[in-house]
């Protein structure tokens, strides 16, 4: 644990936290209750009614899920708590990733019935990567089947948590009435909306003493100060226990576990107390490290207003009224509106416009922002997610963020000319907001291809195009980019190009050989041209035209119109005319000779084959392998790594559309995969027939 630094600015009373969990674990409901009980709002919103403060977009309210991370702040016990409510769906994992990058701590919510769910594992690993201290809150204890200690066992087994269980439930399921505080040894109940502190019910006193002893043993195992007192037989005070839990939480050695029911308004106030008591302030975490731009040793920026200004842009949002808003976490110094700053990531100067304190989609203008705070600013034209902003006189570069590559693509076409005119700008705005969204125009098909993290991600993006930007598009799966080649060699294929329309004519004759060109890797050449003409049958000045004609013909094969690859072309003979031959004539003759030769050479359709790597829990290995084989895949290798099973396979791309949804379904969302291009392989007969039929039709 980093020693706490001297605080002259109130930073010790600042908490910057996130709420993260699997979808439908109750994150947004929990945040709504926090805002209500801290007095920030005066009415509790409900996800099922679409009235929550933190779900701000039409897509979020319609679907009842969080799609974009929303920031707010509240006050509790003379502490300021900055909160980021993150999505729980795996398609929007980028929102969790960039939020965790700027958080000092977080609360992980669990469904009391389901326990540790797949996306909880993913976000827990993300938090491990950024060394973010965590509190565990087992939610939905009012549901039938809720079980605190089964959830705790799953935390240990799946997440490697060292749990510090600080509460016991009073009642289970519909009879859930409150919790026993094992630190203070009191009962906390909610007969109405208000918290009542009382004595532990007689039936639970022995169980409470037993679990308090287990709490002290677990805490002594991870905190030396508590260990000394515990071994000495001292009766630890609540203050000493809380101090030990705080040290263990901030160091990452253990995680306190609380429980409650946010929807039934039970357990929220103790959770707020735990956030204040156990999670770190900016003074409890190490100064943010950075590197200088002139090769000097790495520098640190302590979180203090009197240090040089340093901030990280972690989110970009395009507001219909304010334009581009950039969310910043200030790590040091302070900044006012109108200040010129340096974007060291892009080596460009920017000017801060207005500064806003965000409360979900509402905002309050501020004159100044200071170290430790999260704000949104206008005016940054070139800054994107992960960029460093700093004082131009004290330049530093902070560690940026890495984001996963898109795994699914869809083709879109504008419905009208007006939609076509607005599509490019709309895509640019969406790409500025979302680093996992990519778009490009396929030069072969002419389609605009959108790539994202999953089907829901792409559906939401298309809906936003219509709802927010007024651009209507039709969607469909992108065409597979096939290739064509030849199955056998052909020799002495002759074509004479001859035209006489009065005046100077056109005359050229070429004789070609075509041979299959072996390829062992994607880096091998796809085409070779060799001039084997002797005796001047084709003058040298026409050879480049012959090669150009072959190149023209290779752009569109005879089966499906896709490019031809893997061919060695030999020019072996020809004939020319003193007056009528020209570059144009030899180019046309070579193109036609090549097309005739390809038809005679048993043309073959090649399909893109992907190198698929799947990481899955062992219990789903059979289902994963069976599904890959059913997709015409060939399993190349199996391996084991850290308790998970690795599968390497080669699978045609045409069979992989929609795979992300199937994989999640078969593995309860616990498996992940990557899919880089491997090679083009010969397509089976039925695939060739279907592709040819589509081309001809």
């Amino acid at each position: 644990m980093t020693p706490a630094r001297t605080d002259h600015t109130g930073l010790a009373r600042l908490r910057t936290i996130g709420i993260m969990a699997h979808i439908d674990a109750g994150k947004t409901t929990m945040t709504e209750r926090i805002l209500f009980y801290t007095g920030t709002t005066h009415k509790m919103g409900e996800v099922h009614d679409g009235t929550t403060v933190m779900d701000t977009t039409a897509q979020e309210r319609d679907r009842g899920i969080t799609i974009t991370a929303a920031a707010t702040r509240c006050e509790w016990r003379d502490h300021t708590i900055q909160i980021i409510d993150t999505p729980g769906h795996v398609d929007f994992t980028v929102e969790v990733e960039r939020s965790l990058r700027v958080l000092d701590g977080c609360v992980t919510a669990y469904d009391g019935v389901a326990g540790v769910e797949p996306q909880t594992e993913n976000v827990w690993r993300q938090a491990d990567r950024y060394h973010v201290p965590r509190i565990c809150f087992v939610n939905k204890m009012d549901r039938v089947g809720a079980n605190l200690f089964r959830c705790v066992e799953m935390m240990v087994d799946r997440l490697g948590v060292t749990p510090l269980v600080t509460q016991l439930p009073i009642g289970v399921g519909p009879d859930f009435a409150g919790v026993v505080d094992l630190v203070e040894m009191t009962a906390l109940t909610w007969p109405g909306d208000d918290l009542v502190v009382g004595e532990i019910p007689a039936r639970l006193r022995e169980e409470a003493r037993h679990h308090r002893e287990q709490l002290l043993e677990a805490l002594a195992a991870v905190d030396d100060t508590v260990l000394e007192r515990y071994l000495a037989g001292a009766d630890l005070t609540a203050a000493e226990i809380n101090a030990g839990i705080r040290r263990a939480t901030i160091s990452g050695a253990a995680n306190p576990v609380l429980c409650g029911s946010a929807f039934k308004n039970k357990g929220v106030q103790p959770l707020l107390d735990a956030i204040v008591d156990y999670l770190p302030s900016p003074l409890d975490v190490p100064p943010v490290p950075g590197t200088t731009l002139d090769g000097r040793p790495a520098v640190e920026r302590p979180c203090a207003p009197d240090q040089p200004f340093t901030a990280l842009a972690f989110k970009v949002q395009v507001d219909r009224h304010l334009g581009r808003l950039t969310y910043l976490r200030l790590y040091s110094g302070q900044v006012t509106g109108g200040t010129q700053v340096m974007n060291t990531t892009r080596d460009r100067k920017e000017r801060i416009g207005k500064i806003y304190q965000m409360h979900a989609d509402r905002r309050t203008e501020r004159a100044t922002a200071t170290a430790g705070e999260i704000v949104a600013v206008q005016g940054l034209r070139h800054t994107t997610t992960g960029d460093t902003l700093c004082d131009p006189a004290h330049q530093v570069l902070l560690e940026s963020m890495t984001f996963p590559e898109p795994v699914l693509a869809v083709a879109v076409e504008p419905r009208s000319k007006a939609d076509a005119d607005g599509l490019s700008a709309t895509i640019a705005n969406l790409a500025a907001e979302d680093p996992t969204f990519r778009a490009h125009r396929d030069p072969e098909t002419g389609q605009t291809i959108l790539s994202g993290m999953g089907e829901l991600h792409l559906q939401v993006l298309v809906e936003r195009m219509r709802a927010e930007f007024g651009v209507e598009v039709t969607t469909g799966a992108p065409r597979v980019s096939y290739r064509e080649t030849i199955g056998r060699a052909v020799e002495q294929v002759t074509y004479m190009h001859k035209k006489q329309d009065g005046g100077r004519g056109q005359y050229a004759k070429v004789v070609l050989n075509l041979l299959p060109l072996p390829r062992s890797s994607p880096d091998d050449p796809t085409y070779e041209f060799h001039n084997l003409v002797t005796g001047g049958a084709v003058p040298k000045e026409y050879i480049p035209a012959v090669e150009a004609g072959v190149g023209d013909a290779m752009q569109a094969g005879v089966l499906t119109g896709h490019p031809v690859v893997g061919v060695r072309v030999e020019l072996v003979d020809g004939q020319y005319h003193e007056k009528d031959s020209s570059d144009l004539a030899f180019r046309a003759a070579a193109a036609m000779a090549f097309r005739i030769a390809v038809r005679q050479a048993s043309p073959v359709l090649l399909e893109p084959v992907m190198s698929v790597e799947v990481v899955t829990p062992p219990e789903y290995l059979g289902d994963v392998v069976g599904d890959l084989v059913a997709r015409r895949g060939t399993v190349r290798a199996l391996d084991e790594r850290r308790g998970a099973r690795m599968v390497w396979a080669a699978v045609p791309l045409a069979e992989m559309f929609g795979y992300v949804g199937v994989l999640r379904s078969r593995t309860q969302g616990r498996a992940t995969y990557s899919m880089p291009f491997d090679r083009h392989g010969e397509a089976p007969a039925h695939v060739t027939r279907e592709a040819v039929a589509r081309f001809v039709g």
Side-chain angles (χ1 to χ4, degrees):
M1 176 180 169
T2 302
R5 300 187 292 278
T6 304
D7 179 30
H8 300 295
T9 61
L11 285 171
R13 295 190 299 276
L14 178 64
R15 304 288 182 269
T16 302
I17 69 162
I19 312 289
M20 65 181 195
H22 187 88
I23 189 171
D24 203 31
K27 300 179 302 301
T28 300
T29 300
M30 184 189 308
T31 307
E32 292 293 317
R33 271 46 177 183
I34 288 174
L35 295 178
F36 177 79
Y37 284 112
T38 57
T40 306
T41 59
H42 303 289
K43 183 180 178 181
M44 298 182 196
E46 303 294 352
V47 172
H48 55 272
D49 293 332
T51 57
T52 57
V53 171
M54 304 304 283
D55 286 342
T56 60
T57 68
Q59 290 81 12
E60 290 177 317
R61 294 187 177 116
D62 291 344
R63 298 175 184 273
I65 62 172
T66 301
I67 293 173
T68 60
T72 187
R73 66 190 289 164
C74 57
E75 304 291 326
W76 184 255
R77 281 175 40 193
D78 197 31
H79 285 67
T80 298
I81 303 175
Q82 300 183 123
I83 303 173
I84 297 180
D85 179 29
T86 65
H89 196 286
V90 67
D91 281 11
F92 309 105
T93 188
V94 63
E95 296 287 340
V96 183
E97 184 81 22
R98 58 186 175 188
S99 298
L100 284 168
R101 174 65 175 80
V102 298
L103 295 176
D104 293 333
C106 68
V107 176
T108 307
Y110 303 82
D111 184 318
V113 178
V116 177
E117 297 177 272
Q119 182 62 2
T120 311
E121 294 183 65
N122 293 336
V123 297
W124 192 271
R125 287 193 291 267
Q126 288 173 296
D128 280 341
R129 192 158 60 245
Y130 292 110
H131 308 291
V132 179
R134 277 144 279 175
I135 289 175
C136 302
F137 183 79
V138 180
N139 195 23
K140 302 191 177 184
M141 292 299 298
D142 60 304
R143 292 182 58 199
V144 175
N147 188 317
L148 170 65
F149 288 102
R150 187 176 70 85
C151 290
V152 171
E153 289 176 4
M154 294 175 73
M155 292 178 201
V156 175
D157 293 341
R158 293 190 178 183
L159 307 178
V161 170
T162 299
L164 300 174
V165 180
T166 64
Q167 295 178 346
L168 294 181
I170 300 176
V172 293
D175 297 326
F176 176 69
V179 298
V180 173
D181 184 338
L182 297 177
V183 178
E184 299 281 356
M185 288 302 282
T186 56
L188 311 178
T189 57
W190 288 264
D193 288 337
D194 296 326
L195 167 64
V196 175
V197 181
E199 293 187 359
I200 300 173
R203 70 181 188 278
L204 293 176
R205 287 173 188 166
E206 186 59 36
E207 183 181 359
R209 281 192 288 268
H210 169 71
H211 284 291
R212 187 176 198 269
E213 188 65 23
Q214 287 191 327
L215 168 62
L216 295 178
E217 289 179 3
L219 184 56
V222 296
D223 185 80
D224 291 341
T225 303
V226 172
L227 177 62
E228 291 178 8
R229 297 275 290 157
Y230 184 76
L231 293 178
D235 187 11
L236 279 83
T237 66
E240 289 175 318
I241 296 172
N242 277 331
I245 295 174
R246 178 179 178 80
R247 290 190 295 269
T249 304
I250 294 174
S251 69
N255 303 95
V257 179
L258 296 83
C259 62
S261 170
F263 181 62
K264 293 298 180 65
N265 309 322
K266 295 178 172 69
V268 178
Q269 297 96 326
L271 175 61
L272 282 164
D273 288 336
I275 291 170
V276 168
D277 291 338
Y278 303 147
L279 291 179
S281 75
L283 302 179
D284 296 311
V285 297
V288 62
T291 57
T292 57
L293 307 184
D294 55 6
R296 290 184 297 175
V299 295
E300 291 184 341
R301 287 284 190 261
C303 188
D306 57 359
Q307 293 289 316
F309 166 70
T310 307
L312 185 76
F314 69 94
K315 178 180 171 70
V316 175
Q317 177 181 334
V318 179
D319 185 277
R320 65 176 62 190
H321 303 295
L322 301 179
R324 188 182 178 111
L325 287 177
T326 306
Y327 284 70
L328 304 181
R329 163 69 194 263
L330 273 70
Y331 283 103
S332 64
Q334 50 189 331
V335 68
T336 58
T339 302
Q340 188 177 72
V341 298
M342 188 72 186
N343 182 330
T344 49
T345 305
R346 306 192 179 278
D347 193 25
R348 302 191 71 154
K349 289 186 177 179
E350 294 263 45
R351 187 171 297 278
I352 301 285
K354 291 183 178 180
I355 301 173
Y356 295 102
Q357 181 63 58
M358 300 301 296
H359 180 55
D361 60 343
R362 300 196 298 273
R363 54 199 169 270
T364 304
E365 188 174 341
R366 298 178 49 175
T368 303
T370 190
E373 293 185 321
I374 288 177
V375 294
V377 301
Q378 276 184 301
L380 302 182
R381 299 170 54 194
H382 307 289
T383 300
T384 61
T385 300
D387 287 0
T388 300
L389 299 175
C390 63
D391 183 340
H394 300 86
Q395 296 189 25
V396 66
L397 182 63
L398 304 181
E399 181 184 358
S400 188
M401 293 178 259
T402 57
F403 301 107
E405 290 296 314
V407 297
L408 198 65
V410 66
V412 299
E413 294 182 359
R415 291 186 179 178
S416 67
K417 185 180 185 304
D419 294 324
D421 294 340
L423 183 59
S424 296
T426 298
I427 288 175
N429 283 330
L430 293 174
E433 290 188 4
D434 188 346
T436 59
F437 167 59
R438 311 283 172 80
H440 71 278
R441 187 172 180 82
D442 189 327
E444 295 178 13
T445 66
Q447 295 173 304
T448 298
I449 308 298
L450 309 182
S451 301
M453 298 307 298
E455 291 166 304
L456 179 60
H457 186 200
L458 293 173
Q459 288 172 13
V460 168
L461 288 169
V462 171
E463 288 175 9
R464 289 189 62 197
M465 288 182 178
R466 173 185 53 79
E468 297 179 26
F469 300 97
V471 174
E472 297 280 356
V473 295
T474 57
T475 62
R479 286 174 51 190
V480 175
S481 295
Y482 293 103
R483 296 289 185 269
E484 297 181 24
T485 191
I486 58 175
R488 64 183 181 90
V490 294
E491 296 181 351
Q492 300 292 314
V493 177
T494 303
Y495 182 79
M496 178 183 293
H497 179 73
K498 185 177 181 179
K499 287 186 177 182
Q500 192 69 48
D501 297 327
R504 184 176 177 179
Q506 296 184 35
Y507 182 88
K509 178 181 177 181
V510 296
V511 181
L512 302 179
N513 294 342
L514 262 62
L515 297 87
L517 189 64
R519 300 187 70 217
S520 59
S521 79
D523 296 327
D524 290 340
T526 61
Y527 160 65
E528 291 180 0
F529 178 83
H530 296 271
N531 175 24
L532 304 183
V533 173
T534 58
V538 178
K540 290 183 179 181
E541 58 266 29
Y542 295 134
I543 300 301
V546 173
E547 186 173 359
V550 170
D552 292 341
M554 290 185 68
Q555 298 307 307
V558 299
L559 293 176
T560 62
H562 287 92
V564 179
V565 298
V567 178
R568 174 187 170 99
V569 180
E570 296 175 347
L571 175 63
V572 294
D573 203 356
Q575 193 174 353
Y576 75 104
H577 188 275
E578 287 284 353
K579 293 184 178 180
D580 291 343
S581 290
S582 64
D583 286 344
L584 183 62
F586 271 99
R587 186 165 185 161
M592 286 302 302
F594 180 83
R595 293 189 181 100
I596 294 170
V598 168
R599 292 187 182 279
Q600 297 177 5
S602 303
V604 174
L605 185 68
L606 301 177
E607 61 180 348
V609 178
M610 314 306 285
S611 178
V612 180
E613 178 183 325
V614 182
V615 182
T616 177
E619 57 265 35
Y620 305 114
L621 178 63
D623 285 342
V624 169
V625 171
D627 182 61
L628 290 173
V629 171
R631 294 171 182 272
R632 299 193 284 119
T634 302
V635 177
R636 291 172 168 173
L638 299 172
D639 197 5
E640 185 173 356
R641 184 184 301 171
R642 295 182 180 178
R645 299 304 299 271
M646 313 286 293
V647 183
W648 284 274
V651 189
L653 174 62
E655 305 293 338
M656 292 300 291
F657 291 117
Y659 180 65
V660 61
V662 174
L663 181 65
R664 290 171 186 166
S665 175
R666 289 179 176 271
T667 65
Q668 298 184 16
R670 296 175 62 193
T672 60
Y673 81 104
S674 61
M675 192 177 67
F677 173 77
D678 182 52
R679 58 186 169 82
H680 277 92
E682 184 173 343
H686 75 278
V687 173
T688 301
R689 285 195 299 270
E690 292 171 1
V692 171
R694 287 195 298 269
F695 178 67
V696 174

